[in-house]
Amino acid sequence: MPRKLRDGQTAELYVVDVQTNESRLAYSSSGLLFEAPNWVGNQLVVNGDGGLFALRVDGGELEAIELGGVPEINNDHVVSPDGTTVYVSAEDGHLYAVPLTGGAGRRVSNDHGVHHYLHGISPDGERLAYIGLENRDGKRITNVYTVPVAGGVDVQVTDDEFADDGSEYGPDGEWIYFNSERAGQAQLFRIKGEAVEQLTFDERVNWFPHPSPDGSLIAYVSFPPGTEGHPADVDDVRVRLLEADGRIREVATVFGGQGTMNVPSWSPDSRYFAYVAYPIS
């Protein structure tokens, strides 16, 4: 079931200027719990109540995007580099391509025993990076996979029992960034072939790395120490930037978590990114 706002709760969409580190409130709703902004052109794309919506970066109201017969979706979706197609994770466990201007949706994913959660698209727009969830002897296993956007054979990138999530291509198309519990609690990593590099090492629980298009920064969500998974409605959730030299820049502290920044939300020029907070009055 899609998440709903609690009594007295609002969903607030912010746009961050990374040059000034300032967050600007772009939209607020006390009726619809929306999540996970993508950036495309002069619009932000968010999900809510099982559907998809667009909002102009400079203001206005949410406008529904026709899903073209696709089942209800969750908060894992990405936009093609050319801005024509949004790829979504549906509640039936599959990935679909949906034209942003309207038209029939097309299933991309295969039947191979996993539930698909989409997080990234390659810079050339040819492949999707997703998390495949399967049950092995009653245990939930998540691994990183890729699949062609046109349909085709899946490639399994990780094959282990560590909890992996948030798989997203870097701007070079070679590295895939993800969070994993292979170091204990969730930290940020990247992988290319057999090479795996850990990127964060602190006491907090770090999720959803989003490399900027120019490769200079990684935006991510940081939960308090001891947090299990990536729950909703958590106090002291940090929106952070990881600098190229390893320094961490604090951007905002919010009440949120799930839905705050699950998917790529950078502007094409790497100047801005977006996130959602869920304060309760």
Side-chain angles (χ1 to χ4, degrees), residues 27-212:
Y27 184 76
S28 178
S29 173
S30 59
L32 177 69
L33 192 155
F34 59 82
E35 305 175 284
N38 300 129
W39 196 300
V40 52
N42 64 352
Q43 292 184 317
L44 294 167
V45 174
V46 296
N47 67 280
D49 200 25
L52 205 62
F53 302 85
L55 174 76
R56 289 183 60 87
V57 175
D58 57 3
E61 294 297 323
L62 294 177
E63 296 184 4
I65 296 172
E66 174 58 47
L67 289 179
V70 170
E72 284 192 345
I73 66 168
N74 57 40
N75 58 17
D76 297 322
H77 40 81
V78 299
V79 179
S80 63
D82 64 7
T84 63
T85 306
V86 58
Y87 297 92
V88 300
S89 300
E91 293 294 357
D92 67 353
H94 282 287
L95 309 180
Y96 293 84
V98 178
L100 273 171
T101 55
R106 171 181 58 86
R107 200 178 99 176
V108 175
S109 53
N110 301 300
D111 290 311
H112 62 113
V114 305
H115 195 109
H116 302 73
Y117 293 96
L118 179 60
H119 286 280
I121 187 167
S122 59
D124 62 7
E126 295 297 319
R127 298 192 70 86
L128 300 175
Y130 70 90
I131 295 297
L133 168 65
E134 60 180 311
N135 287 302
R136 295 182 190 170
D137 300 323
K139 185 176 181 180
R140 289 165 56 91
I141 304 296
T142 53
N143 277 295
V144 177
Y145 295 79
T146 70
V147 66
V149 299
V153 178
D154 301 86
V155 173
Q156 187 167 352
V157 178
T158 64
D159 187 8
D160 53 58
E161 295 191 358
F162 298 115
D164 298 333
D165 212 325
S167 50
E168 186 171 322
Y169 280 95
D172 63 1
E174 297 292 328
W175 291 95
I176 292 178
Y177 293 71
F178 66 111
N179 57 270
S180 176
E181 294 182 2
R182 63 193 57 221
Q185 64 189 25
Q187 296 290 341
L188 306 187
F189 292 82
R190 67 176 187 171
I191 185 170
K192 179 174 67 172
E194 298 296 320
V196 180
E197 296 182 2
Q198 187 171 345
L199 304 175
T200 59
F201 301 85
D202 58 286
E203 75 286 354
R204 294 182 64 86
V205 177
N206 300 315
W207 278 73
F208 300 134
H210 306 304
S212 60

Side-chain angles (χ1 to χ4, degrees), residues 248-260:
I248 294 171
R249 189 199 312 178
E250 300 285 359
V251 174
T253 300
V254 303
F255 185 76
Q258 176 71 280
T260 290

